[in-house]
Amino acid sequence: MEKIEIKHHVSLKKLNTFGIDVMARNFASFQTVASLQEVLETYKKQTPQYKAVLMVLGGGSNILFTKDVDGLVLKNEITGIEKTGEDADYIYIQAGAGENWHRFVLYCLEHQYAGVENLALIPGSVGASPMQNIGAYGVEIKDVFHSLEAFEISTGNMVQFTASDCAFGYRESVFKNKCRGEYIITSVTYRLNKVPVFNTSYGAIEAELEKEKVSERTIRSIARAVINIRSSKLPDPAVIGNAGSFFKNPEISENQYKELQDRFPGIVGYPLGNSMVKLAAGWLIEQCGPVTGKSWKGYRIGDAGCHEKQALVLVNYGKATGTDVFNLSTAILESVYEKFSVRLEREVNIY
Ligand code: FAD
Ligand code: NAP
């Protein structure tokens, strides 16, 4: 059994990819469900206001801290990847919630388990993957999700969630909405394909495969293409603080899309097949700015900014506070609404 230690006044700067300098009043990590239970028991005894904030942190790559955490921050370090079953078409793999997501993808590539190759190089933990139904290049976690186990904070019970219990949507799940803050996900079981079903519907993947002169499609060649594209386009949080896309791509009706197309012929939209169209939020942001004639793309105010290559990504150049970044996001939201009458929604979790 590991040693339980609750630390006090711990800086979270290195534990969030925005690099925002906030403090946790109390902080503990856990490596097993038993150690999680023990930490909570200890915290309960030490802290009269036990009901105060409990927050679980994975890789900190989808969170913007705007204040100190006046409670307990729990760092999930449950690791382990194991095969739990197999049938004619699928392999079932359970991974500890504290596993690094990309390490899990590499494990699948190594064993020829297909389904997560398009999701290579997404930062963060396995445990957060269902939280916003992570997605990239036409694949979402829901496509390979089987079930998860979670610790219910109010009862201390372990609960199993199936895919339908998770209510996955576009960058959404029950954990981001109705059940926010109620569960700590401890493991996730994925259902991976024995025979790959390649998804290269996103133009950038095809272009990269062509550029690299890849003649045979394999899960490895697709993962490599995704890794190349991502490495060339996205700001590395180790170099410049960010949490990936700050906003979701908004979905609007086909009618509203047609009206916008008449006014803005260059608008970028993808039909969703249900009378709705998904707009590229990055394009909308690029067309707006702090003043007429200036784009948000590449804009900087103090140490908060909108990335010069990817308008959807807000960045911390060094000493920005969470409030600086949040205020910039509000100004962007408002200007996009003013120009297009489309409301952007923040994808990043604001604390
Ligand atoms: P954290 O930031 O630690 O947590 C996020 C939220 O989940 C918090 O509210 C936290 O309390 C909660 N949470 C974390 N772990 C648990 C748990 N075990 N149980 C319950 N709640 C939990 N996302 C995509 O979907 N697609 C992408 O392509 C993508 N690309 C990115 C690229 C970059 C450069 C960056 C910085 C981010 C990107 N993201 C992307 C966002 C982010 O990587 C994912 O959302 C990731 O799943 C977050 O994992 P995390 O462990 O860092 O979560
Ligand atoms: P991109 O290829 O420049 O495309 C811009 C946007 O258009 C994307 O957000 C994507 O929506 C959408 N899109 C592109 N081709 C599409 C197609 N064939 N069908 C439907 N929609 C299409 O995007 P990017 O910024 O370089 O990102 C590439 C992928 O990685 C995207 O899937 C993106 O979501 C993901 N990503 C996510 C984050 C994050 O933090 N959430 C960060 C970086 C990258 P979708 O976003 O809905 O896929």
Side-chain angles (χ1 to χ4, degrees), residues 326-351:
F326 185 82
N327 289 345
L328 174 60
S329 75
T330 304
I332 292 174
L333 285 172
E334 285 172 355
S335 68
V336 166
Y337 186 71
E338 200 175 303
K339 184 158 188 168
F340 298 104
S341 303
V342 170
R343 260 182 228 292
L344 292 184
E345 234 182 275
R346 293 180 183 89
E347 178 178 308
V348 169
N349 297 279
I350 309 295
Y351 179 79

Short mmCIF file of all heavy atoms in Angstrom, two decimals, residues 326-351:
data_model
loop_
_atom_site.label_atom_id
_atom_site.label_comp_id
_atom_site.label_asym_id
_atom_site.label_seq_id
_atom_site.Cartn_x
_atom_site.Cartn_y
_atom_site.Cartn_z
N PHE A 326 -9.51 34.09 -19.91
CA PHE A 326 -10.97 34.02 -19.92
C PHE A 326 -11.56 35.29 -20.53
O PHE A 326 -12.48 35.24 -21.36
CB PHE A 326 -11.50 33.80 -18.50
CG PHE A 326 -12.99 33.60 -18.46
CD1 PHE A 326 -13.53 32.36 -18.73
CD2 PHE A 326 -13.85 34.66 -18.18
CE1 PHE A 326 -14.90 32.16 -18.73
CE2 PHE A 326 -15.22 34.47 -18.18
CZ PHE A 326 -15.75 33.22 -18.45
N ASN A 327 -11.03 36.46 -20.13
CA ASN A 327 -11.55 37.73 -20.65
C ASN A 327 -11.34 37.83 -22.16
O ASN A 327 -12.21 38.32 -22.88
CB ASN A 327 -10.90 38.92 -19.95
CG ASN A 327 -11.38 39.05 -18.51
OD1 ASN A 327 -12.38 38.44 -18.13
ND2 ASN A 327 -10.68 39.81 -17.70
N LEU A 328 -10.19 37.35 -22.62
CA LEU A 328 -9.95 37.35 -24.07
C LEU A 328 -10.99 36.45 -24.76
O LEU A 328 -11.55 36.82 -25.80
CB LEU A 328 -8.52 36.85 -24.37
CG LEU A 328 -8.17 36.65 -25.84
CD1 LEU A 328 -8.31 37.96 -26.62
CD2 LEU A 328 -6.73 36.11 -25.99
N SER A 329 -11.27 35.30 -24.14
CA SER A 329 -12.25 34.39 -24.76
C SER A 329 -13.63 35.04 -24.82
O SER A 329 -14.37 34.86 -25.78
CB SER A 329 -12.30 33.05 -24.03
OG SER A 329 -12.99 33.15 -22.80
N THR A 330 -13.96 35.84 -23.80
CA THR A 330 -15.26 36.52 -23.80
C THR A 330 -15.33 37.54 -24.94
O THR A 330 -16.33 37.63 -25.66
CB THR A 330 -15.51 37.22 -22.44
OG1 THR A 330 -15.39 36.23 -21.42
CG2 THR A 330 -16.88 37.86 -22.37
N ALA A 331 -14.23 38.30 -25.11
CA ALA A 331 -14.21 39.30 -26.19
C ALA A 331 -14.36 38.61 -27.55
O ALA A 331 -15.07 39.10 -28.44
CB ALA A 331 -12.90 40.09 -26.12
N ILE A 332 -13.73 37.46 -27.71
CA ILE A 332 -13.83 36.71 -28.97
C ILE A 332 -15.27 36.23 -29.19
O ILE A 332 -15.85 36.41 -30.27
CB ILE A 332 -12.82 35.53 -28.98
CG1 ILE A 332 -11.40 36.08 -29.03
CG2 ILE A 332 -13.10 34.58 -30.14
CD1 ILE A 332 -10.29 35.04 -28.90
N LEU A 333 -15.84 35.64 -28.15
CA LEU A 333 -17.23 35.14 -28.24
C LEU A 333 -18.18 36.26 -28.69
O LEU A 333 -19.03 36.08 -29.55
CB LEU A 333 -17.74 34.70 -26.86
CG LEU A 333 -17.26 33.40 -26.25
CD1 LEU A 333 -17.75 33.29 -24.82
CD2 LEU A 333 -17.82 32.25 -27.05
N GLU A 334 -18.00 37.42 -28.04
CA GLU A 334 -18.91 38.53 -28.31
C GLU A 334 -18.76 39.03 -29.74
O GLU A 334 -19.74 39.33 -30.42
CB GLU A 334 -18.69 39.67 -27.30
CG GLU A 334 -19.27 39.30 -25.94
CD GLU A 334 -18.92 40.28 -24.83
OE1 GLU A 334 -18.14 41.22 -25.07
OE2 GLU A 334 -19.42 40.07 -23.70
N SER A 335 -17.50 39.13 -30.22
CA SER A 335 -17.31 39.67 -31.57
C SER A 335 -17.83 38.69 -32.63
O SER A 335 -18.37 39.11 -33.64
CB SER A 335 -15.84 40.03 -31.81
OG SER A 335 -15.05 38.87 -31.85
N VAL A 336 -17.67 37.39 -32.36
CA VAL A 336 -18.18 36.40 -33.32
C VAL A 336 -19.71 36.48 -33.36
O VAL A 336 -20.33 36.43 -34.43
CB VAL A 336 -17.69 34.96 -32.96
CG1 VAL A 336 -18.47 33.91 -33.72
CG2 VAL A 336 -16.20 34.84 -33.23
N TYR A 337 -20.31 36.65 -32.20
CA TYR A 337 -21.78 36.73 -32.16
C TYR A 337 -22.27 37.98 -32.90
O TYR A 337 -23.23 37.93 -33.68
CB TYR A 337 -22.29 36.71 -30.72
CG TYR A 337 -23.80 36.65 -30.69
CD1 TYR A 337 -24.46 35.49 -31.05
CD2 TYR A 337 -24.57 37.77 -30.34
CE1 TYR A 337 -25.85 35.42 -31.08
CE2 TYR A 337 -25.94 37.72 -30.37
CZ TYR A 337 -26.58 36.53 -30.73
OH TYR A 337 -27.95 36.48 -30.77
N GLU A 338 -21.56 39.06 -32.65
CA GLU A 338 -21.95 40.33 -33.29
C GLU A 338 -21.91 40.21 -34.83
O GLU A 338 -22.80 40.66 -35.53
CB GLU A 338 -20.99 41.42 -32.83
CG GLU A 338 -21.53 42.82 -33.00
CD GLU A 338 -20.55 43.83 -32.41
OE1 GLU A 338 -20.22 43.71 -31.21
OE2 GLU A 338 -20.10 44.70 -33.16
N LYS A 339 -20.88 39.56 -35.36
CA LYS A 339 -20.72 39.50 -36.81
C LYS A 339 -21.59 38.41 -37.45
O LYS A 339 -22.16 38.61 -38.52
CB LYS A 339 -19.25 39.24 -37.15
CG LYS A 339 -18.94 39.25 -38.63
CD LYS A 339 -17.47 39.53 -38.89
CE LYS A 339 -17.22 39.72 -40.36
NZ LYS A 339 -15.90 40.25 -40.64
N PHE A 340 -21.66 37.23 -36.81
CA PHE A 340 -22.32 36.09 -37.47
C PHE A 340 -23.63 35.63 -36.80
O PHE A 340 -24.27 34.71 -37.30
CB PHE A 340 -21.36 34.88 -37.48
CG PHE A 340 -20.09 35.13 -38.25
CD1 PHE A 340 -18.89 35.38 -37.59
CD2 PHE A 340 -20.09 35.11 -39.63
CE1 PHE A 340 -17.72 35.60 -38.29
CE2 PHE A 340 -18.91 35.32 -40.35
CZ PHE A 340 -17.73 35.57 -39.68
N SER A 341 -23.97 36.22 -35.64
CA SER A 341 -25.11 35.75 -34.84
C SER A 341 -24.98 34.26 -34.51
O SER A 341 -25.97 33.51 -34.47
CB SER A 341 -26.44 35.97 -35.56
OG SER A 341 -26.59 37.31 -35.88
N VAL A 342 -23.75 33.83 -34.31
CA VAL A 342 -23.50 32.43 -33.92
C VAL A 342 -22.80 32.47 -32.56
O VAL A 342 -21.83 33.21 -32.38
CB VAL A 342 -22.56 31.74 -34.95
CG1 VAL A 342 -22.11 30.38 -34.43
CG2 VAL A 342 -23.27 31.60 -36.30
N ARG A 343 -23.37 31.68 -31.62
CA ARG A 343 -22.77 31.67 -30.28
C ARG A 343 -21.72 30.57 -30.16
O ARG A 343 -22.05 29.39 -30.31
CB ARG A 343 -23.87 31.39 -29.24
CG ARG A 343 -24.33 32.64 -28.56
CD ARG A 343 -25.35 32.38 -27.49
NE ARG A 343 -26.48 33.29 -27.66
CZ ARG A 343 -26.42 34.60 -27.48
NH1 ARG A 343 -25.29 35.16 -27.10
NH2 ARG A 343 -27.49 35.35 -27.66
N LEU A 344 -20.49 30.95 -29.90
CA LEU A 344 -19.46 29.95 -29.64
C LEU A 344 -19.60 29.48 -28.19
O LEU A 344 -20.00 30.25 -27.33
CB LEU A 344 -18.05 30.54 -29.82
CG LEU A 344 -17.64 30.94 -31.24
CD1 LEU A 344 -16.19 31.41 -31.23
CD2 LEU A 344 -17.81 29.78 -32.21
N GLU A 345 -19.22 28.23 -27.98
CA GLU A 345 -19.24 27.68 -26.62
C GLU A 345 -17.82 27.30 -26.25
O GLU A 345 -17.10 26.75 -27.09
CB GLU A 345 -20.07 26.40 -26.63
CG GLU A 345 -21.19 26.35 -25.62
CD GLU A 345 -21.88 25.01 -25.72
OE1 GLU A 345 -22.77 24.87 -26.58
OE2 GLU A 345 -21.50 24.10 -24.98
N ARG A 346 -17.44 27.55 -25.01
CA ARG A 346 -16.09 27.15 -24.59
C ARG A 346 -16.03 25.64 -24.46
O ARG A 346 -16.94 25.03 -23.90
CB ARG A 346 -15.73 27.80 -23.25
CG ARG A 346 -15.60 29.31 -23.33
CD ARG A 346 -15.24 29.90 -21.97
NE ARG A 346 -15.19 31.35 -22.03
CZ ARG A 346 -16.23 32.17 -21.83
NH1 ARG A 346 -17.42 31.67 -21.54
NH2 ARG A 346 -16.08 33.48 -21.92
N GLU A 347 -14.95 25.06 -24.99
CA GLU A 347 -14.76 23.61 -24.83
C GLU A 347 -13.95 23.31 -23.57
O GLU A 347 -14.19 22.33 -22.87
CB GLU A 347 -14.01 23.08 -26.06
CG GLU A 347 -13.71 21.60 -26.00
CD GLU A 347 -13.00 21.09 -27.25
OE1 GLU A 347 -13.50 21.34 -28.36
OE2 GLU A 347 -11.95 20.44 -27.09
N VAL A 348 -13.02 24.19 -23.27
CA VAL A 348 -12.14 24.01 -22.11
C VAL A 348 -12.96 24.16 -20.82
O VAL A 348 -13.87 24.99 -20.75
CB VAL A 348 -11.01 25.07 -22.18
CG1 VAL A 348 -10.21 25.13 -20.89
CG2 VAL A 348 -10.10 24.80 -23.37
N ASN A 349 -12.63 23.35 -19.83
CA ASN A 349 -13.32 23.42 -18.54
C ASN A 349 -12.77 24.61 -17.76
O ASN A 349 -11.56 24.72 -17.55
CB ASN A 349 -13.05 22.14 -17.74
CG ASN A 349 -13.61 20.92 -18.43
OD1 ASN A 349 -14.80 20.65 -18.33
ND2 ASN A 349 -12.77 20.21 -19.17
N ILE A 350 -13.68 25.50 -17.36
CA ILE A 350 -13.24 26.69 -16.63
C ILE A 350 -13.39 26.41 -15.14
O ILE A 350 -14.45 25.99 -14.68
CB ILE A 350 -14.10 27.92 -17.00
CG1 ILE A 350 -14.19 28.10 -18.52
CG2 ILE A 350 -13.56 29.19 -16.31
CD1 ILE A 350 -12.91 28.42 -19.24
N TYR A 351 -12.33 26.62 -14.41
CA TYR A 351 -12.46 26.47 -12.96
C TYR A 351 -12.27 27.83 -12.31
O TYR A 351 -11.31 28.52 -12.54
CB TYR A 351 -11.42 25.47 -12.41
CG TYR A 351 -11.56 25.38 -10.93
CD1 TYR A 351 -12.60 24.60 -10.39
CD2 TYR A 351 -10.79 26.14 -10.08
CE1 TYR A 351 -12.81 24.57 -9.03
CE2 TYR A 351 -10.99 26.11 -8.72
CZ TYR A 351 -12.01 25.33 -8.20
OH TYR A 351 -12.24 25.33 -6.85
#
